[in-house]
Amino acid sequence: MSKDNHMSEEILSLKGVVKSFPGVLANDHIDFSLKKGEIHTLLGENGAGKTTLMNILYGLYTPDEGEIFIDGQKVIIHSPADALSHGIGMVHQHFMLIPNMSVCENIILGNESKKRGLIDEEQATGRIETLSEKYKFSLNPGDMVKDLPIGMQQKVEILKALYREATVLILDEPTAVLTPQESEELFEILRSLKDEGKSIIFISHKLKEVLEISDIITVLRDGKAIGSVRPDQTDEGHLANMMVGREVILKVHKEKMHKGKPVLEVNDLTVFDRRGVSVVNGINFNVHSGEIYGVAGVQGNGQTELVEALTGLLPFVSGEVIIDGAKIEGDNPREVFERGTAHIPEDRHKYGLVLPYPIRDNLVLCSYYHKPFSKRLALNFPVIIEKSSKLLKEFDIKASSILDITETLSGGNQQKTVVARELGREVKLLIAAQPTRGLDVGSIEYIHKKIVETRDAGCAVLLVSSELDEILSLSDTIGVIYKGQIVKTLSSEEATKEQLGLLMAGILEKT
Amino acid sequence: MDVKKIFKLRAGYQDLLIPFLSIITSLVIGAIIIYASGANVYAAYKGLWQGSFGNARTIAETFVSTTPYILTGLAVAFGFRCGLFNIGAEGQLYAGALAAAYIGYAWRGLPHFIHLPIAIIAGIIAGGIWGAIPGYLKAKTGAHEVINTIMMNHIMIRLTDYLVKNPMLDPKASVPRTAYILKSAYLPKIFPGFRLHWGFILAIIAIFLIYYILFKTKVGFEIRTVGLNQDAARYAGMNISKNFVLAMAISGGLAGLAGAGEVLGLNYNLPAAFVSGFGFDAIAIALLAKSNPFAVFPSAMLWAALRNGAGLMQVRAKISIDLVNIIQAFVIMFIAAPNIVRYLYRIRAEREKAGVLLTKGWGQ
């Protein structure tokens, strides 16, 4: 087959690349080689050096040492423009698109073909339409980018690279923002690009999809290339092992539940979102002490607003919420906090952390105002320092000191900071929303362990997650949310993925 | 208090280097402009130096001008810490001056140790109220503080003009002004024979007090949290509206104290022609200081030296006094665009650190 032909040719290689930042060796003598028409995955935890390596290749960083070869020729890449001229295109994790410009304008930006000094939009539109048809993108060049769903915006980014005639495509964590269906579509596109002879560097830390899409997988750990394997020679456990450097338990171990009295009671709760649309419609459920109650559902069925209402960030429209036997007024986060509720928010950068603060200040963000953390008007620093140092150690947050700026931590350590703050005190109820979203394997394992420990200590846990695997492995009881209501409650033993999928899609009748 | 440690904690090496290089670069550009306009660069800068630090009197005068610059600079910096852009320091300063002048001449028969503190506190409260109003409007209606503080400036400047020319006018005076304040409300001079007054000491105390409030108290922690991340502040149970009003009140109070100091320590009356400009320069001072209370001192001193030295520079080199404004403008430009300085001196950017959010855009 022709596929085997172009797979033999090496199109790009990196030799002995070193890049250091103050205090960190991000890339330590990395070798990497990409053949024509292959999908080569870079797998590694957050902070392993994947993005640094790709930024070097894309001309955003200059390596301290090492060489880059393209088609056997040594090249020096100074800027993204250089990279593009060598046929390297990159789709960043955070899209580089201008929302209030059209698809066409975004694609030609910086590469406009001109006719008598004016932009030749007709010609550009034609080319975009041809490309879009060829790869089944179904993009309309005239649409505004801000009106497109995330999955389509990503296609605009890919098309941008193809428009510049890229032969090597770098995709940095492309599935992090996609739904499972959108990911599947993306993989279809990647396969057709591969059949065309394009080469793809795929960056990810999701093991399942890596095994599905890759021709070869190179694992990075602590800035070093640990090794390269073919997907048919490996499995999830082995890859996780290579990534983390030790045996990783992918299954969550938990004892039988000891269910106690109800801690959180939600009766006929109705909540409007910020635009005044009713998104939680008279929801009812209870969470008992010693129980993990998982809310499964497709994103956008009221989960976010439900959690925000329970934690005081959004007012209730009607209904009642009882925490530990006492009715709460709502719309007051401190009231909920003082009832012994811990809240791991869905968006840790928006709600959970003040990123420019040192870790110390984030660890007392919710408790700074009461004794012993403050005395009258003044903050009591000796106590704050003692408590935060203890939490740093206890929750294994990797930082040189409590004065490290939170922004400089990896995603996993940032989330551990949130977890340490919320669980580092007496709690009766834990509300965890998407607690492992975007985290690496090691951190996911750690946070799952903590959630189970919290439950075993007799705490009630409300877990909201869009990862079905997470719900199934952690929950004792599963409530399926659809259009702002719990359509079915089942125990985790009787639940199957297929059944949950149908319930989540609103296909199975409510019982 | 160990100032060195504070700088180590709050400011990196580059936070000091870049402002310093900005000032030097601005002076160099200033020199080029002086040369281009045919004047003697050496004479001009010698005049600038002698006019600000040439002898004991000019040094004392520089500190006289430093005093209101410190207080208004702190006022703007404090607002920045809460994510608020207080352009109203000028109006708040007028409010403080008005209140202090009124108490100063109208309340008779009080001993010095009672009359003076009351006049000072009246100035702080008046400025505080004038600052709290736009803070309240923002908290309750979302009205942007930039617009409202500008409007409050106009109102206060006109109001001062009206009050001084009508109910508060001293009929015996040849120019429109209030009556002289009583001796019992004077801020004493620090050294005999120099105009430098105790307002300067109050300004220094204010620096330490504001540092303490911001970094050592619950209120300061809340204000800084609101300034950096409003959503996280709400999540943590903080009251955003309360903090907006409080931060604007404290900010206004500092500017009010500056106004009170000018009346009680320097002028001893409030003329209708009272034009300070301190409140506007304060924005530049707070930016140069990156909202660090301690850094407000040197940056206020720089502005005072430029303001005071300009006159002699004009005489010696026969150039326009506006040149000083050009230098100031370049300093601000380089501070606002540190990458120009980094490029000029080939300084590598450090990783973004605990930044202070200096300003926020409109419409949020």
Side-chain angles (χ1 to χ4, degrees):
Chain A
M1 257 173 69
S2 64
K3 199 173 146 196
D4 290 325
N5 272 337
H6 39 67
M7 273 190 71
S8 52
E9 257 178 80
E10 185 179 81
I11 183 164
L12 179 152
S13 75
L14 298 168
K15 291 213 167 78
V17 171
V18 177
K19 176 74 187 172
S20 62
F21 295 106
V24 194
L25 193 56
N27 285 166
D28 184 4
H29 295 93
I30 292 183
D31 294 329
F32 178 84
S33 143
L34 181 69
K35 296 201 177 75
K36 195 167 180 222
E38 91 177 345
I39 298 180
H40 192 150
T41 293
L42 269 181
L43 179 71
E45 296 202 277
N46 290 330
K50 301 169 298 210
T51 302
T52 304
L53 189 67
M54 288 306 109
N55 282 341
I56 287 172
L57 188 54
Y58 197 55
L60 291 167
Y61 294 151
T62 325
D64 302 340
E65 274 177 51
E67 296 170 321
I68 302 172
F69 295 88
I70 291 173
D71 290 328
Q73 300 248 292
K74 191 182 159 184
V75 294
I76 292 167
I77 299 173
H78 294 287
S79 66
D82 267 3
L84 281 166
S85 72
H86 289 297
I88 301 170
M90 183 155 175
V91 175
H92 296 268
Q93 197 173 353
H94 304 283
F95 303 151
M96 310 280 175
L97 296 173
I98 300 165
N100 45 11
M101 277 193 176
S102 72
V103 169
C104 175
E105 285 167 325
N106 265 289
I107 289 174
I108 63 175
L109 196 67
N111 194 20
E112 305 90 349
S113 46
K114 297 199 186 85
K115 201 162 85 184
R116 275 179 255 116
L118 297 171
I119 293 173
D120 186 359
E121 209 157 322
E122 222 165 278
Q123 189 239 352
T125 309
R127 266 193 71 197
I128 291 167
E129 275 170 351
T130 317
L131 282 169
S132 167
E133 223 161 278
K134 184 169 160 194
Y135 298 107
K136 302 190 184 65
F137 279 15
S138 52
L139 276 172
N140 178 4
D143 286 348
M144 295 294 256
V145 163
K146 64 175 179 208
D147 300 332
L148 298 178
I150 296 285
M152 292 297 268
Q153 292 190 13
Q154 190 172 56
K155 287 182 187 166
V156 177
E157 278 279 16
I158 296 172
L159 203 57
K160 214 161 108 184
L162 296 174
Y163 186 83
R164 287 160 176 71
E165 286 162 350
T167 49
V168 175
L169 264 180
I170 307 170
L171 294 126
D172 190 359
E173 309 249 6
T175 58
V177 291
L178 301 182
T179 64
Q181 287 75 16
E182 285 174 326
S183 298
E184 229 8 90
E185 248 179 83
L186 172 71
F187 290 167
E188 276 312 307
I189 290 170
L190 296 186
R191 287 191 192 102
S192 69
L193 287 170
K194 176 176 116 170
D195 291 341
E196 281 251 312
K198 308 243 186 228
S199 311
I200 291 159
I201 304 176
F202 185 81
I203 302 179
S204 180
H205 59 244
K206 292 189 187 167
L207 301 171
K208 275 206 183 89
E209 64 180 37
V210 163
L211 286 167
E212 185 190 334
I213 189 77
S214 318
D215 294 312
I216 184 157
I217 303 159
T218 296
V219 181
L220 295 190
R221 184 173 81 222
D222 297 333
K224 291 194 187 69
I226 296 301
S228 297
V229 287
R230 297 199 165 274
D232 49 12
Q233 299 162 340
T234 182
D235 57 35
E236 281 185 52
H238 178 228
L239 284 177
N241 219 334
M242 285 173 78
M243 256 167 90
V244 184
R246 63 185 162 79
E247 204 66 49
V248 176
I249 307 139
L250 289 171
K251 269 243 168 299
V252 183
H253 282 283
K254 60 181 213 255
E255 305 293 316
K256 236 181 107 51
M257 119 172 109
H258 298 282
K259 193 160 147 180
K261 60 175 180 49
V263 177
L264 173 67
E265 295 163 74
V266 181
N267 299 324
D268 293 321
L269 181 69
T270 297
V271 185
F272 289 178
D273 68 6
R274 292 194 166 79
R275 292 166 305 166
V277 180
S278 179
V279 283
V280 177
N281 305 307
I283 205 167
N284 285 293
F285 63 93
N286 292 339
V287 186
H288 302 79
S289 71
E291 173 191 40
I292 299 177
Y293 185 97
V295 175
V298 177
Q299 197 63 6
N301 273 287
Q303 298 97 316
T304 304
E305 290 77 10
L306 171 66
V307 169
E308 288 190 2
L310 294 180
T311 53
L313 289 165
L314 267 183
F316 321 148
V317 175
S318 63
E320 60 172 14
V321 174
I322 297 166
I323 297 177
D324 197 28
K327 219 175 126 173
I328 62 162
E329 298 282 320
D331 203 17
N332 181 356
R334 189 158 288 175
E335 177 197 21
V336 178
F337 169 84
E338 286 179 346
R339 290 242 185 280
T341 305
H343 174 202
I344 300 172
E346 179 178 316
D347 187 338
R348 61 179 165 273
H349 286 178
K350 192 172 178 208
Y351 289 107
L353 295 164
V354 180
L355 290 173
Y357 270 169
I359 301 169
R360 179 194 68 192
D361 295 5
N362 272 310
L363 285 173
V364 294
L365 195 66
C366 299
S367 52
Y368 69 95
Y369 66 93
H370 61 62
K371 278 184 188 170
F373 302 112
S374 55
K375 278 190 291 198
R376 292 197 194 90
L377 288 176
L379 295 167
N380 190 355
F381 276 102
V383 176
I384 290 176
I385 289 167
E386 197 197 310
K387 175 79 177 175
S388 48
S389 308
K390 212 183 104 199
L391 288 175
L392 190 81
K393 219 177 277 164
E394 201 180 308
F395 285 82
D396 193 32
I397 301 166
K398 292 205 179 62
S400 58
S401 94
I402 50 167
L403 291 180
D404 280 11
I405 301 305
T406 316
E407 208 158 19
T408 63
L409 301 181
S410 70
N413 283 307
Q414 287 179 357
Q415 186 72 331
K416 279 184 189 172
T417 307
V418 174
V419 171
R421 176 182 69 222
E422 295 302 313
L423 296 182
R425 63 193 166 95
E426 289 267 316
V427 289
K428 293 174 187 137
L429 172 65
L430 165 64
I431 298 177
Q434 317 289 356
T436 59
R437 180 182 278 176
L439 299 187
D440 53 85
V441 179
S443 305
I444 292 174
E445 184 194 14
Y446 182 85
I447 289 179
H448 283 175
K449 204 178 82 199
K450 276 286 162 196
I451 291 175
V452 173
E453 270 175 33
T454 308
R455 155 211 188 243
D456 291 343
C459 184
V461 179
L462 177 68
L463 171 73
V464 177
S465 174
S466 50
E467 300 267 335
L468 215 44
D469 289 324
E470 183 166 77
I471 294 278
L472 278 165
S473 60
L474 284 177
S475 312
D476 301 305
T477 312
I478 299 172
V480 180
I481 192 170
Y482 179 69
K483 291 198 171 158
Q485 287 182 323
I486 298 288
V487 289
K488 191 167 175 71
T489 310
L490 14 80
S491 82
S492 63
E493 287 100 48
E494 58 175 342
T496 64
K497 222 172 170 174
E498 291 65 35
Q499 183 195 14
L500 287 177
L502 292 172
L503 283 164
M504 280 160 63
I507 291 167
L508 272 189
E509 270 305 297
K510 107 184 212 187
T511 44
Chain B
M1 205 174 302
D2 186 356
V3 176
K4 230 170 155 186
K5 201 171 141 201
I6 292 152
F7 271 105
K8 218 170 143 196
L9 201 74
R10 307 271 164 223
Y13 158 72
Q14 286 204 5
D15 293 339
L16 300 174
L17 183 69
I18 298 220
F20 177 75
L21 290 176
S22 302
I23 293 161
I24 299 292
T25 314
S26 308
L27 289 173
V28 170
I29 294 174
I32 295 168
I33 296 172
I34 295 169
Y35 180 79
S37 61
N40 184 333
V41 176
Y42 176 73
Y45 279 164
K46 197 175 168 196
L48 185 63
W49 173 258
Q50 286 183 342
S52 48
F53 295 105
N55 57 41
R57 193 194 58 78
T58 55
I59 292 172
E61 280 302 309
T62 296
F63 283 117
V64 167
S65 304
T66 304
T67 305
Y69 273 142
I70 290 175
L71 290 167
T72 51
L74 279 177
V76 178
F78 197 83
F80 279 154
R81 287 284 179 181
C82 194
L84 297 168
F85 203 161
N86 179 11
I87 303 189
E90 185 77 1
Q92 293 143 18
L93 181 145
Y94 274 62
L98 262 180
Y102 177 76
I103 302 283
Y105 73 74
W107 288 25
R108 297 172 172 274
L110 295 170
H112 192 228
F113 74 93
I114 294 176
H115 196 185
L116 174 62
I118 291 178
I120 291 172
I121 290 165
I124 295 172
I125 291 174
I129 291 172
W130 211 247
I133 295 170
Y136 180 81
L137 291 174
K138 178 170 179 114
K140 287 296 152 196
T141 68
H144 205 291
E145 77 280 4
V146 167
I147 304 286
N148 283 329
T149 50
I150 292 173
M151 294 307 147
M152 295 294 278
N153 279 341
H154 288 299
I155 294 169
M156 185 45 81
I157 290 167
R158 291 293 139 223
L159 186 65
T160 306
D161 191 62
Y162 164 78
L163 289 174
V164 172
K165 283 180 181 165
N166 295 288
M168 291 169 77
L169 182 72
D170 181 358
K172 289 169 286 180
S174 53
V175 290
R177 60 162 173 80
T178 66
Y180 274 95
I181 60 166
L182 303 173
K183 280 248 156 60
S184 56
Y186 276 25
L187 265 169
K189 303 293 180 207
I190 299 177
F191 307 108
F194 294 104
R195 295 207 308 158
L196 185 61
H197 55 89
W198 271 77
F200 179 67
I201 308 289
L202 290 179
I204 301 292
I205 294 170
I207 290 176
F208 283 90
L209 187 69
I210 290 301
Y211 168 79
Y212 181 80
I213 291 175
L214 275 175
F215 295 102
K216 303 288 171 192
T217 67
K218 290 197 266 191
V219 169
F221 187 66
E222 289 193 8
I223 283 176
R224 285 185 299 124
T225 307
V226 170
L228 289 170
N229 185 345
Q230 264 184 53
D231 293 309
R234 184 159 151 62
Y235 161 91
M238 298 171 186
N239 184 337
I240 312 273
S241 300
K242 185 194 93 181
N243 281 296
F244 278 157
V245 178
L246 188 65
M248 281 303 290
I250 293 175
S251 177
L254 286 162
L257 175 59
E262 291 302 279
V263 169
L264 304 174
L266 219 54
N267 273 342
Y268 306 128
N269 66 47
L270 184 60
F274 181 67
V275 181
S276 85
F278 293 118
F280 297 117
D281 286 352
I283 298 163
I285 289 166
L287 283 171
L288 179 59
K290 298 208 162 175
S291 300
N292 178 324
F294 292 107
V296 164
F297 181 81
S299 92
M301 211 167 88
L302 173 72
W303 245 250
L306 290 172
R307 180 182 175 127
N308 285 9
L312 197 59
M313 180 175 83
Q314 183 185 23
V315 174
R316 288 280 174 78
K318 314 226 162 18
I319 47 171
S320 165
I321 202 160
D322 294 329
L323 191 83
V324 161
N325 292 337
I326 293 176
I327 293 172
Q328 288 177 335
F330 273 112
V331 173
I332 293 310
M333 198 185 84
F334 289 131
I335 293 292
N339 283 343
I340 302 177
V341 176
R342 288 214 174 92
Y343 175 75
L344 282 173
Y345 298 95
R346 306 288 188 271
I347 302 168
R348 272 178 158 202
E350 327 174 74
R351 209 164 160 178
E352 230 16 76
K353 289 197 320 290
V356 178
L357 190 61
L358 288 176
T359 55
K360 284 187 180 174
W362 302 82
Q364 45 78 43

